[in-house]
Amino acid sequence: MLLEHRGRQPVVPESAYVAPSAVLCGAVVLGEGSRVLHGAVLTAENGEVRLGVNSVVMENALVRGRADHPALIGDSVLVGPHAHVNGATVEDEVFIATGASLFPGSVAGAGAELRINSVLHVNSHLAPGTVLPIGWIAAGNPAQLFSPDRHDDLWQVQRDLDFPGTVYGVPRGTPMSEIMSRQSEYYGAHTSDRQLPTPE
């Protein structure tokens, strides 16, 4: 499904494929030979989504572009099933496995591998060619790698990355009622989306 959002429409070259149950919303630009499989969502809330040449977004993955953090995915990238790429830059030939998450302001360097259920935290830069193991977290610039049992060590790096400011535009400690009121208004912009005809 192709949706116009805030006057912007997806751009899909003839050589690309978008599954009938996938959604492209707003300023989404697909590269030549790219593939978006069933259930995947590429949504340009108020910032672009760009998918490079011969890149594949697999089933039920989410790619979200934001005003301050467009989602920029390079050439020959695999975004695995149920992966979450939110306002991140993904350089060429990166492998993003099932369930991996990349948060706003993060950068996955060329040839990096983010394995199953791994996390690249906000404003963190994973060096080219780095392997982020299954379930591990990368945080910082340059990113340090943390196993899931090292929460206290991770927090020493993570707290200065400003997750609430980067993702929600609020200082740490802002009540959830205020955050969610803002989020409700933000996502309410989709009420005026317009479905576009399916290309022949």
Side-chain angles (χ1 to χ4, degrees), residues 3-64:
L3 296 171
E4 180 181 275
H5 178 65
R6 297 182 174 186
R8 302 287 299 272
Q9 298 181 3
V11 176
V12 181
E14 285 187 22
S15 65
Y17 169 75
V18 178
S21 61
V23 175
L24 274 57
C25 181
V28 175
V29 178
L30 300 187
E32 296 290 339
S34 59
R35 308 290 184 244
V36 180
L37 303 184
H38 290 281
V41 175
L42 282 66
T43 181
E45 304 294 357
N46 56 2
E48 283 188 329
V49 171
R50 289 192 170 269
L51 184 63
V53 173
N54 293 330
S55 288
V56 176
V57 178
M58 295 190 70
E59 294 85 357
N60 300 308
L62 169 65
V63 179
R64 170 172 282 129

Side-chain angles (χ1 to χ4, degrees), residues 69 103-106 119-125 137-144 146 153-167 170 172:
H69 302 287
F103 286 95
S106 66
V119 175
L120 180 56
H121 221 294
V122 295
N123 302 317
S124 297
H125 291 209
I137 303 104
N141 182 9
Q144 299 175 53
F146 298 90
D153 296 330
L154 170 62
W155 181 243
Q156 297 303 311
V157 175
Q158 179 186 341
R159 70 176 165 210
D160 294 330
L161 296 176
D162 191 23
F163 183 92
T166 301
V167 176
V170 298
R172 188 171 301 285

